[in-house]
Amino acid sequence: MKKIADFILKIGEMDRRWIFIIIALVVLLPLFFPIGLPIRPTDSTQTAYDAMDDLEHGSKVLMSFEYGPSTKPEIHPMTYAVLRHLFKNKHKVYITCLWPDGQFMAEEAIEEIAEQEFNLTYGKDYVLLGFRPGNEAVVKGIVSNIRKLYSTDARGTLTDKIPMMEGINKLADFDFIFTASAGYPGTVEWVQYGADPTGVPMSTGVTSIQVNEVMPYVQSGQVKGILAGMPGAAEYEKLVGIPGIGTSGMDAQSVAHVVIVLFIIFGNVAFFIERQRQKKY
Amino acid sequence: MILKRHIPILIVTVIGLLTLFGWFIEQPTIQAFVDDDATQWYDILASFAIILGAMNLLKMQGRKVIKQQEGWGYSLFAIGGFIFSILAGFVIKGSESVAWGTHVTSKGTLFKWMFEFMFTPLSATMFALLAFFVASASYRAFRIRNFEATLLLVAGIIIMLGRVPIGSYISSWFVMYILVLLIGIAVNVKFGNKMITFSSVLTGLLIVTVAGMLTGWPIDQPGIFYLPIIQEWIYYNPNVAGARAIMIGIGLGIFATSIRYILGIEKSYIGE
C-alpha cells in the first residue's frame, strides 16, 4: 500500500513537460488515426438546424463572421457546415464581418464552399459585404440602412449594381441571421441591436467559452439554438450529412478531455495522500 | 475653465439625453440621430482613436528600444511588425492586378501573404498553447479543498466528459457505481465506522446491480445519471441562472454609470 501511495505521490510531482508531451500525443494521435466516435446532436444544435432548415427555399440569410485565426479551429467548421446547409437549400447568403480578420475567414469559406463545392455565382447567390469598423454601431447601421453603410462590397463593387442586393435596404429585409462569433463584438450585440429590435430570427455558432454568455438568450428563445464550440460544429456536420473538420477533431478533443480528467483525479489522490501524511507526522 | 470643463460636460449631457430619448420618443429627427448619425460619429471618432493608438504604440515601444530597457528586443519586433503592416497596407500592394482597398484580402498581395503566413500561424499557436497550460494547471491547482471547489470540480468533469462523444459511451450505471463509492466515502467521514461504511456501500452496490439486471442495463437510463444529459442540465439551469445574474448586474451598472455621465457627476473623461 505504501509503495502505491509513494508511486502516486511521485506522479503528483511529475514535471509539467511530461504533461505537455502527453497532451501533444493524445491530440495528435487521434488526428492521424481516427477512432470514429459517434456524434449525438444536442437539443441546442438540433434547434439551430431546424430553424435554418424550415426557411423557405431562396430565403435571404445574413451571415456574420466575428472570429479570427486563433478561434478558427472551433468556428470555421461551423461556418462551413452552415454554408453547405444554406446553399443546399438554395438560400441567398449575405456576409458581413464585425471583426477585420473575419473577412479573411469569410473569403476562405466562400472560396471553398460557394465557389469550389457548389459552383455558385458571386452577386447572384452570395455576396461578401465585408468588414466595417464600429462594433455594435455597424449592427445599428445595418438595422437602419445597410446601403448607407455598405455602398460597396468587399470586392469594390457598388452594392447598387449587385443583383441580389435588390430589395435589401435594412436588416428587417432579411429572413434569418446567423452569426459565427468568438467574442466582442458578436452574438450578444447582434441580439441586442439587431435581431430583437427588428424581430428577424437568428441563430449562432460560438466558441465553447462563450456559451455561458449566450445561453440565456438561447433559453429565452431570442436565439434559435446554438452551435457550441467544436462539438456543436461536429453535431451540425452530422445533421447536414457531410462530415468535416469538426467531426475529425472530436476524437482528439474526446481523448484530450479524458486525459485531463485523469490528470485531475491523479492530482487529487496525490493531494489527499500528502495531506494524510502531513497530519500523521 | 469654460472650454475645458463646462462645454465638454454640456456636450456629454446633451448627446447622452438625446440618445436616451431616441429610444422613448416618436420623433423622426431624434430617432434618425440615434439610429444613424450617432453611429456614424462613433465610426469617425473610432478611426481617429486608431491613429492615437498607433502613435502610442510607437512611443512606448520606441522609448523601450532607445533606453534599452528589459525586453527591448521584443519591442524592436513590435515596431518592425508595425512598419511592415503599414507598408503592406498602404505602400506595397504586391500585385498590380488588384485595386487598392480590395488588396487587403485578395490573393497574391503582400497584405494577404502577411495574414496567411505570419498572423494566422502566430495567432493559432498562441491559442493552441492554452490546451497545454490548462492541462498542467488543472493537474496542479484543481484540488478538492472545500465544498465550493468540489462542486466546481465535479461540474467541470461532467461538462468536459458530457460535451464530447466519448461521454455518451459512459453508462449511467457506471456513474451510479461511482456515486455509491463516493457515498461510502462520505459515510466513512461522517461515522468513522468500518461496519457502517461497508454495509452502506454493499447495499448501494446491490441496489444498482439488481436495478441494472432488471432493466437490461440501458446505457442512457436513468437519464439523471447519463453524462450528456447531466451536462445539458448544468448548461441550461445553474449556468444560465448565474449568467443572467451577472448580465442583470452589468446592465444595472451600465445604467447607473450612464446616468452619472448624463448628470455630469462622472467626469473622468475630462481628467477629474
Side-chain angles (χ1 to χ4, degrees):
Chain A
M1 195 65 187
K2 192 181 174 293
K3 277 185 180 173
I4 298 171
D6 285 343
F7 176 72
I8 293 172
L9 273 178
K10 210 175 168 187
I11 293 180
E13 289 161 7
M14 186 168 40
D15 191 290
R16 64 177 179 172
R17 280 170 289 191
W18 283 107
I19 299 171
F20 294 164
I21 290 171
I22 294 167
I23 289 293
L25 284 175
V26 297
V27 170
L28 281 174
L29 289 176
L31 288 175
F32 289 116
F33 310 104
I35 309 163
L37 292 166
I39 289 153
R40 183 187 69 98
T42 52
D43 290 347
S44 48
T45 308
Q46 187 71 52
T47 310
Y49 176 85
D50 291 342
M52 280 183 267
D53 206 51
D54 290 345
L55 291 170
E56 277 180 36
H57 282 227
S59 293
K60 292 160 182 166
V61 179
L62 185 130
M63 206 166 158
S64 195
F65 284 59
E66 280 94 52
Y67 65 98
S70 59
T71 43
K72 191 178 168 185
E74 267 189 292
I75 314 271
H76 221 41
M78 291 175 196
T79 55
Y80 274 38
V82 170
L83 277 173
R84 280 190 183 111
H85 189 199
L86 295 175
F87 288 139
K88 206 169 83 179
N89 289 350
K90 312 267 182 245
H91 298 311
K92 308 272 180 211
V93 179
Y94 302 75
I95 299 172
T96 58
C97 316
L98 298 183
W99 287 28
D101 16 10
Q103 192 169 319
F104 292 90
M105 301 294 115
E107 285 271 12
E108 208 177 298
I110 57 174
E111 191 190 326
E112 265 190 59
I113 308 296
E115 289 165 21
Q116 291 170 10
E117 242 181 81
F118 284 86
N119 203 19
L120 298 170
T121 315
Y122 184 84
K124 210 176 133 219
D125 304 302
Y126 66 96
V127 65
L128 175 61
L129 294 167
F131 165 73
R132 288 289 181 278
N135 307 331
E136 51 268 65
V138 174
V139 181
K140 276 185 72 72
I142 295 171
V143 168
S144 59
N145 191 345
I146 193 169
R147 283 171 183 274
K148 201 169 173 183
L149 191 72
Y150 288 100
S151 50
T152 61
D153 68 355
R155 297 180 180 180
T157 315
L158 286 170
T159 39
D160 290 341
K161 291 184 178 171
I162 298 170
M164 64 187 284
M165 285 301 289
E166 203 185 310
I168 299 285
N169 296 305
K170 54 188 186 302
L171 191 68
D173 295 327
F174 292 99
D175 301 302
F176 199 82
I177 305 165
F178 180 85
T179 63
S181 156
Y184 171 82
T187 302
V188 173
E189 285 66 38
W190 275 105
V191 179
Q192 291 175 347
Y193 299 99
D196 260 10
T198 57
V200 179
M202 81 168 272
S203 186
T204 187
V206 297
T207 50
S208 293
I209 205 162
Q210 241 202 311
V211 178
N212 293 353
E213 193 189 351
V214 181
M215 208 46 126
Y217 298 105
V218 178
Q219 210 188 34
S220 64
Q222 288 162 288
V223 175
K224 315 278 176 218
I226 182 173
L227 312 186
M230 198 185 264
E235 289 161 16
Y236 206 89
E237 283 172 358
K238 187 180 166 63
L239 290 168
V240 175
I242 306 167
I245 325 161
T247 308
S248 59
M250 280 324 292
D251 287 344
Q253 201 174 14
S254 286
V255 182
H257 278 202
V258 171
V259 169
I260 292 175
V261 167
L262 288 176
F263 274 144
I264 295 171
I265 293 169
F266 257 112
N268 276 287
V269 173
F271 171 68
F272 270 106
I273 294 170
E274 209 178 319
R275 208 163 64 167
Q276 287 297 323
R277 284 191 179 178
Q278 275 173 357
K279 272 184 191 169
K280 213 172 174 181
Y281 303 109
Chain B
M1 192 67 167
I2 289 176
L3 269 177
K4 282 190 174 177
R5 194 165 189 272
H6 295 113
I7 291 178
I9 292 172
L10 193 70
I11 292 171
V12 169
T13 305
V14 171
I15 301 292
L17 282 173
L18 267 179
T19 318
L20 187 66
F21 289 154
W23 290 93
F24 304 104
I25 296 172
E26 284 278 344
Q27 215 286 333
T29 319
I30 295 177
Q31 278 184 335
F33 169 77
V34 174
D35 292 337
D36 219 347
D37 299 332
T39 53
Q40 300 259 343
W41 288 11
Y42 177 86
D43 287 351
I44 295 162
L45 287 171
S47 307
F48 280 104
I50 291 172
I51 298 170
L52 280 176
M55 304 282 274
N56 193 44
L57 177 123
L58 279 179
K59 187 182 152 193
M60 302 298 284
Q61 303 298 327
R63 189 188 291 163
K64 240 181 164 183
V65 174
I66 292 164
K67 291 187 176 171
Q68 297 209 340
Q69 288 170 343
E70 198 189 337
W72 66 273
Y74 300 114
S75 301
L76 207 63
F77 264 100
I79 295 169
F82 179 76
I83 294 169
F84 185 81
S85 308
I86 295 280
L87 289 176
F90 295 103
V91 186
I92 308 163
K93 255 195 304 183
S95 171
E96 287 309 311
S97 56
V98 180
W100 282 105
T102 56
H103 74 292
V104 174
T105 52
S106 300
K107 270 186 177 175
T109 61
L110 185 62
F111 201 92
K112 176 86 171 169
W113 179 87
M114 183 184 72
F115 186 86
E116 273 187 0
F117 299 107
M118 290 169 88
F119 183 72
T120 301
L122 285 170
S123 191
T125 306
M126 283 299 291
F127 209 68
L129 285 176
L130 273 181
F132 296 95
F133 291 121
V134 165
S136 174
S138 58
Y139 183 47
R140 285 161 199 286
F142 228 163
R143 296 282 188 262
I144 306 176
R145 288 178 204 277
N146 49 39
F147 176 71
E148 286 85 358
T150 312
L151 210 61
L152 187 71
L153 187 124
V154 172
I157 290 178
I158 292 170
I159 297 283
M160 279 179 80
L161 294 177
R163 274 304 293 159
V164 289
I166 213 160
S168 55
Y169 272 113
I170 300 169
S171 166
S172 50
W173 300 96
F174 176 73
V175 176
M176 275 191 271
Y177 279 124
I178 299 277
L179 215 61
V180 168
L181 294 177
L182 290 176
I183 291 168
I185 294 170
V187 168
N188 192 44
V189 171
K190 176 87 179 158
F191 299 104
N193 185 314
K194 282 180 185 170
M195 267 312 286
I196 297 173
T197 307
F198 178 73
S199 47
S200 62
V201 170
L202 191 72
T203 314
L205 292 177
L206 275 172
I207 291 170
V208 174
T209 310
V210 170
M213 284 165 82
L214 288 174
T215 52
W217 308 97
I219 195 164
D220 57 348
Q221 292 299 326
I224 51 162
F225 296 110
Y226 191 49
L227 288 180
I229 291 172
I230 309 174
Q231 74 86 21
E232 261 185 47
W233 182 84
I234 292 173
Y235 256 130
Y236 276 109
N237 295 284
N239 166 58
V240 167
R244 278 218 178 102
I246 293 169
M247 280 164 67
I248 292 168
I250 293 172
L252 290 173
I254 292 172
F255 176 74
T257 312
S258 307
I259 293 294
R260 282 173 65 86
Y261 273 110
I262 290 170
L263 296 178
I265 302 167
E266 180 65 53
K267 294 180 284 255
S268 55
Y269 56 91
I270 50 167
E272 282 186 25

